[in-house]
Amino acid sequence: MAQPDSKKIFFENLSGAGKAIAVLTSGGDAQGMNAAVRAVVRMGLYVGAKVYFIHEGYQGMVDGGDNIREATWESVSSMLQVGGTVIGSARCKEFRTHEGRLKAAHNLVQRGITNLCVIGGDGSLTGANLFREEWSGLLTELVEQGLIEEDAIQKYSALHIVGMVGSIDNDFCGTDMTIGTDSALHRIIEVVDAIMTTAQSHQRTFVLEVMGRHCGYLALVSALACGADWVLIPEMPPEDGWEEKMCQKLSANRAGMKRLNIIIVAEGAIDHSNKPITTDYIKNLVVKCLGFDTRVTILGHVQRGGTPSAFDRILASRMGVEAVLALLETTANTPACVVSLCGNQSVRLPLMECVQMTQEVQKAMDQKRFEEAVKLRGRSFENNLKTYKLLAHRKPETELPTSNFNVAVLNVGAPAAGMNAAVRSAVRVGISEGHKMFAVSDGFEGFCKGQIKEIKWADVGGWTGQGGSLLGTKRTLPAKHVDKIAEQMRMHNINALLVIGGFEAFESLLQLYEARATYEEFCIPMCMLPATISNNVPGTDLSIGADTALNAIVETCDRIKQSASGTKRRVFIIETMGGYCGYLASVGGLAAGADAAYIFEEPFDIRDLQANVEHLTEKMKTSIQRGLVLRNENCNDNYTTDFIYQLYSEEGRGVFDSRKNVLGHMQQGGAPSPFDRNFGTKISAKAMQWITKKLTETFRQGAGRVFANTEDSCCLLGMRRRALVFQPVVQLKGETDFVHRIPKEQWWLKLRPLMKILAKYKTSYDVSDSGQLEHVVRNRPKESDASVAM
């Protein structure tokens, strides 16, 4: 771990001694709330504060008694993977009254609680802010009634509030993602994938209703992630005459040999007259106009249920820790804040600014200012809508621009879930831009053999939900076959190249860039999209496929831990993939509640292993019965998985026994997660638009050809902090450790102390990069796409 220096601030300077923090969940439940509660409790205890649970939300605060209980480290064990909220949630009419808030204030003061962490929706957070504003007046009333001593007014003079948004609807302005949204999308996509198989068997049309009374986020993103034929959301009612257009599209898809249709409807979907559009209305419409066998499925509360996804566990854990840091740093003049996600960073935003903007969205919709409502939802929502329209609605041939450019797309390296979604997006956007799209099978190996053919709009139908690589992919680099590849590019008149893959794809683009000096065929726009479960590509914080792999790891760890529920004191040693990159082990460890994660980037020795064993031994002597240790496959040549397993087995004898598991290629398989489908789709669309722009800029009229030989015409498109950025691959060479095939600097290493803190290790946590209070209107730079958060 890096040693403290003058430029960094470590949270050891932020003591929680003498402070009391209470955590509650309010309003509707959402998967991941328990992970947030766990993080708040453990971080609070770690910094020396007293932490309390408030059971049953505001109702428990008003009722007091056993509803407000002190939390211990062990009281939040085994809750990370549990859906819903184990401390309960309830609507509370009484808290909306002055008398109810007076009772709540009395109950808090009796326990010395002046710091509240509220996990809920905008109503719950608005109530918390009102409570904070009234606090001093409530204390004065309690003194007048003789319920508290007069010195309590000075002792507990200010109530500090930090909010986290727990809502599956993702309807809160200021954050790209609310706790529970990603898990809800998992439930929806699981159902859609299952329905698509039966719909295809019977040539049926399915109309699916998803949650979203006021916000169409779930409907929109699930439609994007499954390639639905039509989507209806409250923020963008369809134009008059939409019924006929929808039926025409469904009919055209069937005529194009598509055996099924999927229509997704948000429960709050409306037309331009603010009249509800129901699933039954759509079903009757399709049956009457087209005669298709049509079924309705209403997902309902299924979307709220189940275990939280890896994304939600990581998000909630990061937000919970950030909330405690915000409470430690707050002063009497600090406004109530909400901890939010912007791109890949945590930020703190003034609570009421976010609430007011959220209310503005509804106001705009009520007043039929729908375009404004979409903008107010944020850049991520707006981009989702634009991308869906681009991919789902094909323009007639007569309306398409004619560019006369040929663009080839190929996969390079190991398969990663989400590659097919990226290819589908590239093909359809490319066709929409007027290009002729070519698919290359089996990477550069297939390229040199001439395995190149034109790919049409309909050819990529249904690709979003497919795992692996339907194009086929190989690790072969182009350098050995550069002359044959140049020949094939000349034969097929390839004017631009989109390469989707991992570290091999990055190396391939470097080789093609260098080959420009010899072969003019490579003097064309070339772009790479990072797609690898290892997340080891320089120039990007995230790669397509890594989220699906994380979910596979977390689901397996959950099952492995569950297998020990009838066995006392057992430690599991799990080996993950990733080459020399410790991303999967570290972030998977955070999401699965691991006690340790061994990685190459953070060297360890026998003393560290011994300290970990002793730490687990101490924990096993309390009520904690299971331990989890993750090991990256290449973390150390000598300390193998077998060695660590044998060491733990020997040293833990008499206290715990050990088991080992090598996850292997199951991390590469399976259907892509909603995140990977969406991320792959959106960055691929952005890459194709960049390619179109470069083709136009580099086309030489006189020569009648494209000529691009500058650094910025051979780029990698990656997520950097809050923005999607095109970076010349040549400039990324200096940021790369080619021997170990990893970037020299990796952002996720900052998350490792979180895992250690939540596992009760003493460590240093750098807070110089933690969220700082920002204003909602300024919380995203202009170029930010924030599509990392879907």
Side-chain angles (χ1 to χ4, degrees), residues 6 33 59 62 155 175 253 303 311 346 356 421 514 524 538 558 564 607 727 748 760:
S6 58
M33 279 184 165
Q59 190 65 57
V62 171
K155 192 175 179 183
T175 186
N253 284 348
Q303 296 156 86
F311 183 99
S346 58
Q356 283 158 14
E514 287 162 9
I524 58 172
D558 285 352
R607 290 181 292 273
Q727 302 144 99
W748 52 264
K760 214 174 184 178

Side-chain angles (χ1 to χ4, degrees), residues 725-743:
V725 185
F726 290 94
Q727 302 144 99
V729 290
V730 176
Q731 293 178 16
L732 294 174
K733 280 176 76 174
E735 299 178 20
T736 309
D737 174 354
F738 283 94
V739 175
H740 300 104
R741 297 159 60 85
I742 54 174

Side-chain angles (χ1 to χ4, degrees), residues 172-199:
F172 192 80
C173 291
T175 186
D176 290 335
M177 207 68 160
T178 57
I179 295 167
T181 304
D182 185 65
S183 302
L185 285 168
H186 273 258
R187 300 296 92 78
I188 294 168
I189 294 303
E190 284 163 14
V191 171
V192 172
D193 285 353
I195 277 175
M196 285 175 94
T197 56
T198 185

Side-chain angles (χ1 to χ4, degrees), residues 42-63:
R42 291 196 166 176
M43 188 63 174
L45 293 173
Y46 195 88
V47 297
K50 270 191 173 184
V51 186
Y52 291 85
F53 292 133
I54 299 179
H55 291 265
E56 311 308 333
Y58 286 119
Q59 190 65 57
M61 196 191 293
V62 171
D63 294 342

Side-chain angles (χ1 to χ4, degrees), residues 200-271:
Q200 199 153 22
S201 302
H202 297 278
Q203 294 195 61
R204 282 182 178 149
T205 296
F206 269 87
V207 185
L208 273 78
E209 181 183 286
V210 302
M211 282 186 167
R213 197 171 298 136
H214 304 292
C215 179
Y217 187 88
L218 289 178
L220 179 57
V221 174
S222 55
L224 196 56
C226 73
D229 298 275
W230 204 267
V231 65
L232 293 154
I233 59 172
E235 291 88 347
M236 189 54 70
E239 299 293 335
D240 292 340
W242 64 272
E243 294 96 337
E244 187 181 342
K245 286 179 184 174
M246 183 184 76
C247 289
Q248 283 174 355
K249 188 184 177 193
L250 299 181
S251 182
N253 284 348
R254 285 290 176 94
M257 304 305 290
K258 188 176 178 182
R259 292 177 59 85
L260 75 154
N261 301 113
I262 300 288
I263 301 164
I264 295 182
V265 188
E267 63 178 325
I270 52 172
D271 62 19

Side-chain angles (χ1 to χ4, degrees), residues 177 182 185-186 189 221 225 311 542-548 551 672-681 787-790:
M177 207 68 160
D182 185 65
L185 285 168
H186 273 258
I189 294 303
V221 174
F311 183 99
L542 288 170
S543 299
I544 300 164
D547 183 71
T548 304
N551 278 289
S673 67
F675 183 103
D676 278 329
R677 298 182 195 199
N678 188 272
F679 187 43
T681 297
S787 57
V788 64
M790 298 204 292

